[in-house]
Amino acid sequence: MSSPANDRPSSVSGIAGAAGGLMRLGALAIVGLVLLPLAALIATAAHGTGDLWPHIVRNVLPVAITDTALLVLGVGIIAGTLGTGTAWLVAVCRFPGRGFFEWALLLPLAIPTYIQAFVYVDAVHPLGPIPTAIRAALGMTSPRDLPLPEVRSLPGCIVLLGFVLYPYVYLPARAAFLVQTASALDAARTLGHGATATFFRIALPLARPAIAVGVTLALMETVNDIGASEFLGVQTLTLSIYSTWLNRSSLPGAAQIALFMLVIMIGLVMLERWGRRHISHANVGNRARPPMRRQLSAGSATLAFLACLVPVTLGFLMPAGHLVHAAYGRFMFRGLPETLLPEALNTALFAGIGTALALGCGLLLAIAARTGTVRSPRLLRFAALGYAVPGTVLAVGLLVPLAGFDNLVSATVQSLGGPATGLIVSGSGAALIVAYVIRFLAIPVGALETGYEKVGMSLDMAARGLGEAPGGVVRRIHLPLLRPALGTAALLVFVDCMKELPATLMLRPLNFETLASQVYGEAARGSYEDGALAALLIVLVGLIPVILLARLSRPRQHLDSF
């Protein structure tokens, strides 16, 4: 019996000869690069930590596991509730401001979690602008007259991350509510169920797979966070990896904690798979009548407006406004920081190189899967594993193999009579670029896989029938049709590289600063105004993919017409 690859039409069966072999090797090398840090992590952890591990087990892990578990649980509840509730209101209800909130609820995605913590620590401390304004409005003079909850705490971190990460739930939940058939909701109303019962008994179960995906993404971002948890005094596993490697100079200890953290990430992925196990029952046909939006009463409309306004205000408007105010004050007082331009150039250079390499690798994998060059296309899905690996775990996993490569090159050059070359990869910043490629390779792989689904195989066969070579089919047909997917993926990868903090802190060269590391450093020193301009620049660039995402996620059909 022939294999599926052999059953394909000869026009798309694969790129023959040396080109096909090189493409196959390249695809497998990319997959190997993604799996390399995970294998190195296991090998590093196996070396043991001597007397340090009992100390870690006794004093570090209990607090880190407890704080991480409580943080994940709290953020999951808040992000899930906010994202699902606002998605339901925007998707199926009519109230003033609904059109604005439909896209504005995505705005918190533009502000990284560490910048949110950076802003709130500065804004809500006793002498900050928010408590000062409240005391002035109430006629109070002393900070002691207005005790406010401490933001530097585990509850403060939970609330902050929950209000930042809820859009990960809002976006898929809103899409799920929009495609639910009106007949299912109408049947519930016919049976006497009110709006609340219809939501909990019909709409919510149907949307559960999409909500599970969103909550899992929010929790993965929570586990990956390092800046917000450190600023707010929460000892998470991510922070423990960083402090064990940096403060205790124990790479094996950091690797062992990283492995434990990786198990948690695998558990989150399995949770997401479990939540999607009935996804086929939640989807409906394209011809199904979407639900008609329900006009809310005046009181309910006011509550719906406030329910959407609060997360937008706390997640974007307030922190963005504070950044603008602080950046303006810093600029008027001392002008632009001398380091801002070099840091912006460093950020753009490394993010640009990482984006170009990630797109190139993603394109090679997508073409290999399309043309059947790789016999097992499922193997290429391992390339997307990097997105599920936190930045700290990835950095620890890359340190040993890249340092080994540097040592090998240096020893080879010396054996040939040359000088020691030093840290070629680790010291030049190439390690950071490799981390960016592995971490965000899933974005172009997913975008190109989706783009290829819209390119029919008949186009390939027609071109081959007209005498076009396989390489020409890719160059003259695939690439022009994939241009929108490539552009979207490039934008998303660039912004993610620019905002990425954990791997940047651990793998950047000495005396090398990016905008993200500069914000982190200023926050660690308590000089918040000096970091405001860098933080604001990150937010402004981060707004671009959010605006694009808001435009792409708009429903094609205006439901108010039903």
Side-chain angles (χ1 to χ4, degrees), residues 289-314:
R289 180 169 62 92
M292 182 174 60
R293 288 201 177 101
R294 181 171 165 266
Q295 181 65 52
L296 299 180
S297 62
S300 298
T302 302
L303 292 177
F305 179 85
L306 293 176
C308 294
L309 179 63
V310 170
V312 172
T313 301
L314 296 181

Side-chain angles (χ1 to χ4, degrees), residues 26 96 125 144 255 260 290 311 341 360 431 479 484 537:
H125 70 78
R144 297 180 179 179
F260 186 83
L341 180 58
L479 290 182
L537 190 55

Side-chain angles (χ1 to χ4, degrees), residues 19 21 44 83 89 95 158 250 256 287-288 295 308 384 493 521 551 555 559:
T44 304
L89 292 174
F95 59 92
I158 289 174
S250 175
Q256 290 175 350
R287 298 181 180 179
Q295 181 65 52
C308 294
V493 173
R551 293 183 60 184
L559 303 186

Side-chain angles (χ1 to χ4, degrees), residues 420-433:
T421 58
L423 300 177
I424 298 176
V425 177
S426 305
S428 65
L432 181 57
I433 294 175

Side-chain angles (χ1 to χ4, degrees), residues 47-74:
H47 284 133
T49 59
D51 297 336
L52 181 60
W53 182 245
H55 168 78
I56 293 175
V57 172
R58 185 173 57 253
N59 300 316
V60 177
L61 284 183
V63 176
I65 293 173
T66 301
D67 282 5
T68 302
L70 293 175
L71 185 64
V72 166
L73 178 62

